[in-house]
PDB file of all heavy atoms in Angstrom:
ATOM      1  N   ASP A 288      11.354  -8.417 -15.135  1.00  0.00           N
ATOM      2  CA  ASP A 288      12.797  -8.379 -14.799  1.00  0.00           C
ATOM      3  C   ASP A 288      13.224  -7.015 -14.291  1.00  0.00           C
ATOM      4  O   ASP A 288      14.410  -6.651 -14.357  1.00  0.00           O
ATOM      5  CB  ASP A 288      13.618  -8.774 -16.040  1.00  0.00           C
ATOM      6  CG  ASP A 288      13.310  -7.877 -17.237  1.00  0.00           C
ATOM      7  OD1 ASP A 288      12.343  -7.089 -17.149  1.00  0.00           O
ATOM      8  OD2 ASP A 288      14.034  -7.948 -18.253  1.00  0.00           O
ATOM      9  N   LEU A 289      12.273  -6.260 -13.738  1.00  0.00           N
ATOM     10  CA  LEU A 289      12.546  -4.931 -13.223  1.00  0.00           C
ATOM     11  C   LEU A 289      12.182  -4.824 -11.749  1.00  0.00           C
ATOM     12  O   LEU A 289      11.464  -5.665 -11.206  1.00  0.00           O
ATOM     13  CB  LEU A 289      11.721  -3.878 -13.976  1.00  0.00           C
ATOM     14  CG  LEU A 289      11.977  -3.677 -15.478  1.00  0.00           C
ATOM     15  CD1 LEU A 289      10.955  -2.718 -16.033  1.00  0.00           C
ATOM     16  CD2 LEU A 289      13.391  -3.141 -15.720  1.00  0.00           C
ATOM     17  N   ILE A 290      12.665  -3.766 -11.115  1.00  0.00           N
ATOM     18  CA  ILE A 290      12.189  -3.353  -9.793  1.00  0.00           C
ATOM     19  C   ILE A 290      11.605  -1.960  -9.952  1.00  0.00           C
ATOM     20  O   ILE A 290      12.228  -1.081 -10.547  1.00  0.00           O
ATOM     21  CB  ILE A 290      13.341  -3.350  -8.763  1.00  0.00           C
ATOM     22  CG1 ILE A 290      13.698  -4.810  -8.404  1.00  0.00           C
ATOM     23  CG2 ILE A 290      12.966  -2.588  -7.506  1.00  0.00           C
ATOM     24  CD1 ILE A 290      14.955  -4.947  -7.582  1.00  0.00           C
ATOM     25  N   LEU A 291      10.365  -1.777  -9.470  1.00  0.00           N
ATOM     26  CA  LEU A 291       9.716  -0.458  -9.506  1.00  0.00           C
ATOM     27  C   LEU A 291       9.754   0.107  -8.098  1.00  0.00           C
ATOM     28  O   LEU A 291       9.441  -0.583  -7.128  1.00  0.00           O
ATOM     29  CB  LEU A 291       8.266  -0.592  -9.975  1.00  0.00           C
ATOM     30  CG  LEU A 291       8.003  -1.354 -11.284  1.00  0.00           C
ATOM     31  CD1 LEU A 291       6.504  -1.388 -11.550  1.00  0.00           C
ATOM     32  CD2 LEU A 291       8.745  -0.737 -12.442  1.00  0.00           C
ATOM     33  N   SER A 292      10.119   1.391  -7.978  1.00  0.00           N
ATOM     34  CA  SER A 292      10.120   2.026  -6.657  1.00  0.00           C
ATOM     35  C   SER A 292       9.567   3.447  -6.758  1.00  0.00           C
ATOM     36  O   SER A 292       9.561   4.073  -7.822  1.00  0.00           O
ATOM     37  CB  SER A 292      11.531   2.060  -6.073  1.00  0.00           C
ATOM     38  OG  SER A 292      12.327   3.069  -6.684  1.00  0.00           O
ATOM     39  N   ALA A 293       9.091   3.951  -5.615  1.00  0.00           N
ATOM     40  CA  ALA A 293       8.537   5.300  -5.560  1.00  0.00           C
ATOM     41  C   ALA A 293       8.641   5.810  -4.127  1.00  0.00           C
ATOM     42  O   ALA A 293       8.768   5.030  -3.171  1.00  0.00           O
ATOM     43  CB  ALA A 293       7.080   5.323  -6.029  1.00  0.00           C
ATOM     44  N   GLY A 294       8.593   7.120  -3.964  1.00  0.00           N
ATOM     45  CA  GLY A 294       8.678   7.713  -2.639  1.00  0.00           C
ATOM     46  C   GLY A 294       8.625   9.233  -2.743  1.00  0.00           C
ATOM     47  O   GLY A 294       7.706   9.776  -3.328  1.00  0.00           O
ATOM     48  N   GLN A 295       9.617   9.902  -2.165  1.00  0.00           N
ATOM     49  CA  GLN A 295       9.671  11.361  -2.274  1.00  0.00           C
ATOM     50  C   GLN A 295       9.884  11.703  -3.728  1.00  0.00           C
ATOM     51  O   GLN A 295      10.743  11.163  -4.418  1.00  0.00           O
ATOM     52  CB  GLN A 295      10.830  11.892  -1.426  1.00  0.00           C
ATOM     53  CG  GLN A 295      10.527  11.864   0.083  1.00  0.00           C
ATOM     54  CD  GLN A 295      11.650  12.475   0.884  1.00  0.00           C
ATOM     55  OE1 GLN A 295      12.586  13.072   0.378  1.00  0.00           O
ATOM     56  NE2 GLN A 295      11.543  12.335   2.205  1.00  0.00           N
ATOM     57  N   GLY A 296       9.083  12.653  -4.210  1.00  0.00           N
ATOM     58  CA  GLY A 296       9.134  13.020  -5.645  1.00  0.00           C
ATOM     59  C   GLY A 296       8.025  12.373  -6.430  1.00  0.00           C
ATOM     60  O   GLY A 296       7.427  11.390  -6.003  1.00  0.00           O
ATOM     61  N   PRO A 297       7.722  12.904  -7.633  1.00  0.00           N
ATOM     62  CA  PRO A 297       6.538  12.456  -8.384  1.00  0.00           C
ATOM     63  C   PRO A 297       6.768  11.236  -9.268  1.00  0.00           C
ATOM     64  O   PRO A 297       5.822  10.774  -9.911  1.00  0.00           O
ATOM     65  CB  PRO A 297       6.250  13.683  -9.259  1.00  0.00           C
ATOM     66  CG  PRO A 297       7.591  14.316  -9.494  1.00  0.00           C
ATOM     67  CD  PRO A 297       8.402  14.059  -8.262  1.00  0.00           C
ATOM     68  N   CYS A 298       7.985  10.708  -9.355  1.00  0.00           N
ATOM     69  CA  CYS A 298       8.314   9.699 -10.355  1.00  0.00           C
ATOM     70  C   CYS A 298       8.238   8.264  -9.844  1.00  0.00           C
ATOM     71  O   CYS A 298       8.554   7.979  -8.693  1.00  0.00           O
ATOM     72  CB  CYS A 298       9.709   9.918 -10.909  1.00  0.00           C
ATOM     73  SG  CYS A 298       9.852  11.414 -11.912  1.00  0.00           S
ATOM     74  N   ILE A 299       7.820   7.364 -10.767  1.00  0.00           N
ATOM     75  CA  ILE A 299       8.004   5.921 -10.559  1.00  0.00           C
ATOM     76  C   ILE A 299       9.345   5.563 -11.201  1.00  0.00           C
ATOM     77  O   ILE A 299       9.591   5.870 -12.366  1.00  0.00           O
ATOM     78  CB  ILE A 299       6.872   5.117 -11.201  1.00  0.00           C
ATOM     79  CG1 ILE A 299       5.520   5.451 -10.510  1.00  0.00           C
ATOM     80  CG2 ILE A 299       7.144   3.610 -11.107  1.00  0.00           C
ATOM     81  CD1 ILE A 299       4.328   4.797 -11.142  1.00  0.00           C
TER      82      ILE A 299
END
Side-chain angles (χ1 to χ4, degrees):
D288 56 350
L289 297 172
I290 286 171
L291 308 180
S292 76
Q295 285 183 8
C298 292
I299 296 174

